[in-house]
Every structure is written in structure tokens, then in C-alpha cells.
Amino acid sequence: KMERYNMDHRTYTEIATPRAKRQLQGLLDSISAPTIYRESMIELGKLLAEAILPSLRNENTLIVSTAKDADYLLTPAVNAVYL
């Protein structure tokens, strides 16, 4: 039986909206569900884009990510900045 993890005892910054917390919980819940993991990472990428886009509008921007999860997390942010 898999242990269920939750984020009840975590401390968040103000950037962690209820929507972000749901997606972070989705990552924990997706241990054996790659589709849920991917969807949660894509949604977190959208939240990242929403958070950083206002500060990047008039700047030269370089966005860097590690290879792991870059497709899921970073693609929405890159699309928001460059498209």
C-alpha cells in the first residue's frame, strides 16, 4: 500500500496560491500516474509564466531549466514570454 503524502504541514510564500497548492498536491498524488504528473507540471508552468511575465516584458530574457521536467514546467513559461 502506497503512503499518501500531503502538503498540510508545509510553509508557502505568497506566490503559492490555492491553485498552485492544488497542482503541487497533484505532483504528490501522481506517484504512479504519469498523466496527472504531466498535467500538474504544465499547470505549474502556466502559474510560473503568470508570475514572471510582468517583470520580463521589457527585458532581454534568458530562461534556463534543467532537463528534467523542462518540457512540462518550462514550455508554458517560454511560450508566454516569447509568443
Side-chain angles (χ1 to χ4, degrees), residues 46-65:
K46 290 176 184 176
L47 291 170
L48 174 63
E50 290 171 12
I52 65 172
L53 192 58
S55 64
L56 300 177
R57 283 286 185 203
N58 297 315
E59 301 289 330
N60 291 328
T61 304
L62 171 65
I63 299 176
V64 179
S65 175

Side-chain angles (χ1 to χ4, degrees), residues 27-71:
L27 293 178
L28 292 175
D29 291 343
S30 66
I31 292 170
S32 60
T35 301
I36 294 170
Y37 178 85
R38 183 187 66 222
E39 291 169 359
S40 293
M41 288 297 284
I42 290 170
E43 288 304 311
L44 286 168
K46 290 176 184 176
L47 291 170
L48 174 63
E50 290 171 12
I52 65 172
L53 192 58
S55 64
L56 300 177
R57 283 286 185 203
N58 297 315
E59 301 289 330
N60 291 328
T61 304
L62 171 65
I63 299 176
V64 179
S65 175
T66 61
K68 184 176 171 118
D69 301 324
D71 290 344

Side-chain angles (χ1 to χ4, degrees), residues 3-7 10 25 28-29 31:
E3 183 178 347
R4 177 172 158 75
Y5 296 95
N6 66 54
M7 302 189 87
R10 303 213 183 233
Q25 184 61 48
L28 292 175
D29 291 343
I31 292 170

